[in-house]
């Protein structure tokens, strides 16, 4: 079996020109070392781990770290994506291509399947992002996954800032903040009862800027929509939205073509683009460094519903 080396070329770097990383290499090395240690701890402590892989930048970095953690052996865990059916085409194509490139098993739980057989119903607002919880929990149960790894970071949102690296979920897949365990001296507690599982966040201590510096240094490939491109969009509230299987412009919303990029990717019905000319990794890093908003606060409508929106969803079993 051939395995792709984790440092293959990145399409948004000029060939033959090493990236002039201008962050703190010691900090980045420490974050990488911590994440690789966590991945190896999971392989040692759990029987059936799985990595959540949406094709977004954080999950791409997490997979890259897993490749490095187990090199030259193949990645020790399968990948799982809960596909709303409203994902951007560029992202699902990248997801499939990346899993095949690294020869990692990819499981896809499609929200549409749960809608078709009556386990879920479409929401009146058209978004499917909140519908991911039931397929996620059902898939965890059916495959008996006991550790579910994701690329969530503490700097993204207040509820995620409360998470430990190893975060226990009860037998209903729910998050109970009061049951969070101390992690002194980076000692991680993976104990759980039958039916429970642990969510694991190797990128907990990273920031969005750390992620982008790491993408630059390691030449991690990403879906093209993370970089500036021309796209037909329409204004909804204070975000630029685009049409797709989830619908399009409503009365009074004018479609226009703009140069935009996405800071985060997810359900297209609630994920907006930002005006940007940042077409390279260096330009994205400069843009992120100057931003006063997190990527979720800037471009995810579902996270703006209330101060406690994400925490409520996490309590129900959302990642």
């Amino acid at each position: 079996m051939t395995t792709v080396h984790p440092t293959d070329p990145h399409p948004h770097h000029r060939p033959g020109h090493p990236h002039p990383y201008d962050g703190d290499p010691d900090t980045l090395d420490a974050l990488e070392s911590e994440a690789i240690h966590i991945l190896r701890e999971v392989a040692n402590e759990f029987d059936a781990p799985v990595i959540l892989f949406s094709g977004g930048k954080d999950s791409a970095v997490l997979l890259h770290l897993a490749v490095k953690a187990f090199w030259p052996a193949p990645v020790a865990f399968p990948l799982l994506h809960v596909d709303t059916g409203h994902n951007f085409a560029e992202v699902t194509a990248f997801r499939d291509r990346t899993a095949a490139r690294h020869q990692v098993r990819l499981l896809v739980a499609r929200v549409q399947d749960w809608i078709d057989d009556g386990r879920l119903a479409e929401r009146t607002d058209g978004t499917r992002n909140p519908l991911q919880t039931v397929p996620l929990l059902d898939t965890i149960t059916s495959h008996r996954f006991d550790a579910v790894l994701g690329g969530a970071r503490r700097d993204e949102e207040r509820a995620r800032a409360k998470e430990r690296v190893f975060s226990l979920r009860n037998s209903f897949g729910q998050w109970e903040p009061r049951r969070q365990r101390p992690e002194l001296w980076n000692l991680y507690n993976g104990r759980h009862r039958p039916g429970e599982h642990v969510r694991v966040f190797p990128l907990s201590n990273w920031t969005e800027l750390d992620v982008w510096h790491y993408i630059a240094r390691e030449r991690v490939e990403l879906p093209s929509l993370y970089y500036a491109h021309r796209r037909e969009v329409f204004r909804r509230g204070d975000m630029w939205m685009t049409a797709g299987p989830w619908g399009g412009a409503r009365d009074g919303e004018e479609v226009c073509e703009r140069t935009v990029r996405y800071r985060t990717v997810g359900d297209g019905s609630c994920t907006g683009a930002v005006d940007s000319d940042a077409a390279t990794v260096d330009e994205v890093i400069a843009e992120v460094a100057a931003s006063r908003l997190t990527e979720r606060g800037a471009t995810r409508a579902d996270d703006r519903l209330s101060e406690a929106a994400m925490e409520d969803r996490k309590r129900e079993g959302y990642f």
Side-chain angles (χ1 to χ4, degrees):
M1 176 183 292
T2 58
T3 307
V4 177
H5 194 276
T7 55
D8 283 343
H10 186 291
H12 287 271
H13 288 293
R14 291 184 297 275
H17 290 74
H19 182 271
Y21 176 68
D22 57 1
D24 180 355
D26 291 338
T27 297
L28 211 58
D29 287 344
L31 290 170
E32 178 189 68
S33 179
E34 178 188 57
I36 287 175
H37 168 69
I38 291 165
L39 286 157
R40 290 171 177 168
E41 280 288 297
V42 170
N44 182 58
E45 290 192 37
F46 295 91
D47 295 322
V50 67
I51 295 175
L52 288 186
F53 185 73
S54 65
K57 70 180 187 309
D58 298 308
S59 62
V61 165
L62 183 55
L63 177 57
H64 179 87
L65 288 161
V67 171
K68 295 189 80 169
F70 303 112
W71 178 265
V75 176
F77 321 135
L79 307 178
L80 169 62
H81 181 214
V82 181
D83 189 343
T84 66
H86 289 175
N87 298 97
F88 296 99
E90 299 98 320
V91 178
T92 53
F94 171 80
R95 176 201 69 188
D96 296 343
R97 183 173 69 251
T98 303
R101 174 171 168 249
H102 291 296
Q103 300 180 2
V104 185
R105 181 186 177 202
L106 173 65
L107 304 171
V108 180
R110 293 180 171 82
V111 168
Q112 187 64 52
D113 293 340
W114 271 255
I115 293 173
D116 290 345
D117 64 18
R119 286 176 287 176
L120 287 174
E122 293 275 20
R123 291 167 52 95
T124 56
D125 61 7
T127 183
R128 289 186 176 180
N129 213 40
L131 300 185
Q132 294 177 90
T133 299
V134 172
L136 172 62
L137 295 179
D138 286 354
T139 304
I140 291 171
T141 300
S142 64
H143 288 270
R144 298 184 179 180
F145 292 129
D146 55 0
V148 183
L149 298 96
R153 310 183 321 268
R154 291 190 178 117
D155 78 320
E156 288 182 88
E157 201 274 339
R158 293 179 181 180
R160 285 181 165 168
K162 298 178 182 180
E163 289 274 22
R164 299 289 192 262
V165 174
F166 277 32
S167 182
L168 183 68
R169 295 301 196 268
N170 65 23
S171 58
F172 297 101
Q174 296 171 328
W175 179 57
E176 299 175 1
R178 292 184 179 181
R179 293 186 67 194
Q180 295 287 290
R181 297 156 169 171
E183 292 178 335
L184 303 176
W185 307 293
N186 292 336
L187 297 175
Y188 306 114
N189 185 348
R191 288 179 297 176
H192 58 284
R193 300 186 183 95
E196 296 178 336
H197 69 275
V198 175
R199 305 281 174 93
V200 182
F201 304 99
L203 305 185
S204 287
N205 295 324
W206 298 50
T207 65
E208 182 184 9
L209 197 55
D210 291 329
V211 169
W212 276 105
H213 277 308
Y214 191 75
I215 288 166
R217 190 182 79 172
E218 300 289 309
R219 300 176 181 269
V220 179
E221 183 184 357
L222 297 180
S224 59
L225 47 62
Y226 274 108
Y227 303 97
H229 58 285
R230 298 292 291 179
R231 184 179 288 260
E232 288 190 347
V233 294
F234 54 89
R235 199 70 172 170
R236 180 168 295 167
D238 57 354
M239 293 194 300
W240 291 113
M241 308 298 291
T242 190
W246 50 87
R250 300 169 183 166
D251 291 343
E253 295 175 339
E254 183 179 351
V255 176
C256 60
E257 188 176 276
R258 300 181 71 90
T259 301
V260 298
R261 76 174 191 89
Y262 287 83
R263 287 181 66 183
T264 184
V265 298
D267 189 290
S269 65
C270 60
T271 303
V274 295
D275 287 308
S276 176
D277 293 317
T280 68
V281 178
D282 291 341
E283 291 168 350
V284 170
I285 287 173
E287 184 179 273
V288 171
S291 176
R292 290 293 189 180
L293 287 175
T294 68
E295 69 265 43
R296 296 190 73 89
T299 62
R300 291 293 289 273
D302 57 327
D303 290 337
R304 300 179 175 189
L305 297 177
S306 75
E307 287 290 321
M310 175 63 78
E311 183 160 338
D312 291 341
R313 291 166 64 193
K314 288 175 71 66
R315 288 177 185 272
E316 296 169 358
Y318 182 75
F319 211 84

